[in-house]
Structures are given as C-alpha cells and as structure tokens.
Amino acid sequence: MQDTTQQDNWKQLAGEAAARLIEDGMVLGLGSGSTASYVVRYLGLRIQEGLQIVGAVPTSNATEQLARELNIPLTTLDAHPELDLAVDGADEIDPRLCLIKGGGGALLREKIVASAARRFVVVGDVTKQVLLLGVHFPLPVEIVPFALPLVRRRLEALEAIVQLRYKEDQVFVTDNGNMILDCSFPGGIREPEELQTQLKSIAGVVETGLFLNMTERAIIGGPEGVKVVMGEEL
Ligand code: 5RP
C-alpha cells in the first residue's frame, strides 16, 4: 500500500505545477478533493503575490469555502458561462486521459465546470494512472433519490455491482441533494463511451463519473517529480 505522506507530496507537486498554468485575466474552474485543494492553495498564494484572475467557479461547497478563506475571487457560470481553464483531480486516469471521478461526490458540478472550460487539466499522482478504468475504483453515478429502486435494477442489468454510498452511517447526499451509486464492473470498463451512453439513458441518472475526451493534459506527481501527459487531439 502507498505511504500517504509520500502520496500527498506527489499530489502537492502536481497541484502546484497545474496552478502555474494560471495567468492574469483568466476565468477558472476549481476542482474538488485533496489534489485539487493544492491547486487552490497555490492559486491563493499566487494571488497574494499579485496574480489577477477574473474569478473562479468552485465545483463543491468545500472548494468554495477554501477559496473564500484564501481570498480567491469567485464567480458563477451565470456571469461567465465559458471558462478559460478548469483544473481538477481524478480517481483514475487511463492512457487516453479518460477519467473516473466522483470519489469525493462532487462529480456533477465537476463535469459541468469541465464542460464549460476551453481547457480541462487533470492533476493526480502516479497511483491514479491505470491501463483500464474501473478495475480497482468503482464508477460513481449520481442519481435522483426518487429513482433509486429503478436505477439500481437498470444498473444491475448492465452487470454492475451496485453500492449506495454512505458517509458516517448516513446515506451520502451530494451538494445537489442527490445520491451516489458506486458501480463496480468486474473486469473493468472496456467500452467507456458505450457505457456512458447506456447510463445516461436511464431515467433518474443525473451524471456519471466518466470524463471522456475532455482532458487536455494530465499533470502527474510521482517519485521522479512532475510529468505532463498530453491528451489526444480533442
Ligand atoms: C471528487 C473527485 C476528486 O477529484 C477525486 O476523488 C480525487 O480526489 P483526491 O485528489 O482527493 O485523490 O472527483 O468528486
């Protein structure tokens, strides 16, 4: 098992490298989770030192709170429907830079923000790189609570092993008032595009944690420092 302090250092390296992509005048999307929080912290530092962004759209209540504490100017998609750059973490990153996200439960706003961005950059540490999505990490699917029994049956018909997400003995509720079903697909996800289409056609599924063909580059921290993996032509 990976030493968490070491992994945290790798996350920090990646987060800070990504925050260096931010330039004066940009409108940003800020991701959620521990790696994204390093981006937010380093951005806060750069703003203290004089960087002037137009504003940032946070992808979760937690990121919004952290950004406020660091005096990062916030904005909304109402004010800025197009973002220059969004940076976020991931739970798994495959060689095509397709992702599983949503381990922290913020996948819906994360996907909206990534979709609104001209450039989407993922940050992670080497433990997030996989050859095939879904072998180790279950795919989070955000659903409307009313639809739970129906969606569960439909997912099981797609051969998913479905777990309703809990946090501290309570059903986990997303920032949008929804639930998360964590779906394991034995053998991994071989056709992510097809699976995404199937999942999105189930009434009651709001969004999935599959981020496909969106990522411009991955910034990965590891024992050798930071490496940048470019996505295919988007
Ligand atoms: C939250 C996410 C996170 O980006 C993902 O879970 C990675 O988190 P961390 O950087 O803490 O490992 O998708 O919904």
Side-chain angles (χ1 to χ4, degrees), residues 33-96:
S34 57
T35 321
S37 79
Y38 284 115
V39 181
V40 178
R41 286 175 206 285
Y42 199 67
L43 172 62
L45 210 65
R46 289 198 58 205
I47 286 175
Q48 254 184 35
E49 289 168 359
L51 177 77
Q52 291 189 329
I53 62 163
V54 173
V57 180
T59 53
S60 61
N61 295 343
T63 296
E64 177 174 344
Q65 191 182 329
L66 178 62
R68 284 190 195 285
E69 283 164 18
L70 296 166
N71 296 316
I72 295 173
L74 294 177
T75 186
T76 60
L77 288 178
D78 247 350
H80 293 99
E82 292 222 359
L83 310 175
D84 295 302
L85 174 70
V87 185
D88 205 343
D91 301 297
E92 289 191 338
I93 305 171
D94 84 1
R96 290 195 298 146

Side-chain angles (χ1 to χ4, degrees), residues 11 32-36 88-91 101-107 110 128:
K11 289 181 179 189
S32 299
S34 57
T35 321
D88 205 343
D91 301 297
K101 287 186 48 55
L107 65 100
E110 289 173 338
K128 304 293 179 74

Side-chain angles (χ1 to χ4, degrees), residues 5 12 20-22 40 47 50 56 69 108 114 116 133 141-142 148 154 159 172 185 187 194 204 216 223 230 232-233:
T5 319
Q12 182 170 2
R20 283 189 209 102
L21 297 175
I22 300 168
V40 178
I47 286 175
E69 283 164 18
L108 175 57
L133 295 175
V141 176
E142 180 157 346
L148 173 62
R154 295 283 190 273
E159 291 177 5
F172 177 82
F185 292 91
E194 190 186 324
E216 178 204 89
M230 296 305 291
E232 291 162 0
E233 202 69 20

